[in-house]
Amino acid sequence: MSRRPLVAGNWKLNHLIGASIETASSVKGLLTAPSALDIVVCPVFTALQSVAETLQGSPIEVGGQNCYVKESGAFTGEVSPQMLLDAGCAWVIIGHSERRHIFGETDTLLNEKLKFARSAGLKVMFCIGETLEEREAGKMNDVLSRQVSKGLEGIDPGQFDGIAIAYEPVWAIGTGVTATPQQAQDAHAFVRGLLNSQLGGTIADTVRIQYGGSVKPDNAAELMRNPDVDGFLVGGAALKADSFAAIVNAAI
Ligand code: PGA
């Protein structure tokens, strides 16, 4: 089954508007075959509109890093999927480990976010992944099963054309310790098996599973050779146009 690769840059809490525009516009110029895959950059909220304008007419799409479960109202500090769309986004990241661990977002809330974002028309990169402690205690499969079953509970099968799963082992995020290609493949195959048993073969075969966690230009091509790795969610290496573009170019 060949799935179109999806490579996204998660800029996290980095880059002012000027640097965001500069990075986005440099990435554009460095891509060798941008129409061969889906490419997304996810700047901070305040830079979304400027980056979307910078990338207008290019194949690179823009995504938010989080959103809330209401369209509007008395929810100080939150942003809605409709507002992300209004700023020029096509995507949103939901369930990043930093949202789960630093901000205490639960499987139940993330499931609501996923449903609400999809129903508003945003495509979603839904993140899952185990901590080092969970892996060492032999609980990786349980954790991934729980995150997948609770996270995707009650989602209309027709919505899966706009959902990608990002497998991001927490111990590999921002640490410089990348999962080995075998570790990534094993986890991705396990997640695809979960999709198969919970949602059936068509969804399991077509949903893209990105790997995230210390992806760099020098390890991207090898990770990408795994049959179940369909692209990347890149943090640190996405902040510089040349390294992000090198990863995108390696993913084709
Ligand atoms: P990293 O982050 O590439 O800096 O490890 C990945 C992520 O958090 O999405």
Side-chain angles (χ1 to χ4, degrees), residues 17 64 68 112 132 143 170 184 231 250:
I17 294 171
Y68 195 52
E112 267 183 78
L132 185 59
V143 171
V170 180

Side-chain angles (χ1 to χ4, degrees), residues 49-113:
Q49 186 176 357
S50 314
V51 168
E53 282 164 6
T54 303
L55 294 174
Q56 211 157 36
S58 93
I60 307 172
E61 295 180 298
V62 178
Q65 299 173 14
N66 179 32
C67 65
Y68 195 52
V69 294
K70 300 282 181 196
E71 180 169 355
S72 61
F75 304 101
T76 303
E78 293 298 330
V79 69
S80 70
Q82 291 80 3
M83 288 162 183
L84 294 181
L85 287 160
D86 186 45
C89 292
W91 288 87
V92 65
I93 299 170
I94 290 179
H96 189 278
S97 73
E98 286 145 22
R99 300 301 317 172
R100 291 176 187 265
H101 297 291
I102 303 174
F103 300 100
E105 297 192 1
T106 62
D107 290 313
T108 309
L109 175 65
L110 296 173
N111 175 251
E112 267 183 78
K113 287 188 176 198

Side-chain angles (χ1 to χ4, degrees), residues 7 13 28 42 53 58 85 88 102 113 120 125 135 169 241 248:
V7 178
L13 187 55
K28 226 178 11 174
C42 303
E53 282 164 6
S58 93
L85 287 160
I102 303 174
K113 287 188 176 198
M125 288 174 266
R135 176 175 274 260
V248 173

Side-chain angles (χ1 to χ4, degrees), residues 10 12 96 98 168 172-174 213-215 233-236:
N10 171 13
K12 308 192 181 184
H96 189 278
E98 286 145 22
E168 300 203 298
I173 295 179
S214 299
V215 177
L233 182 52
V234 187

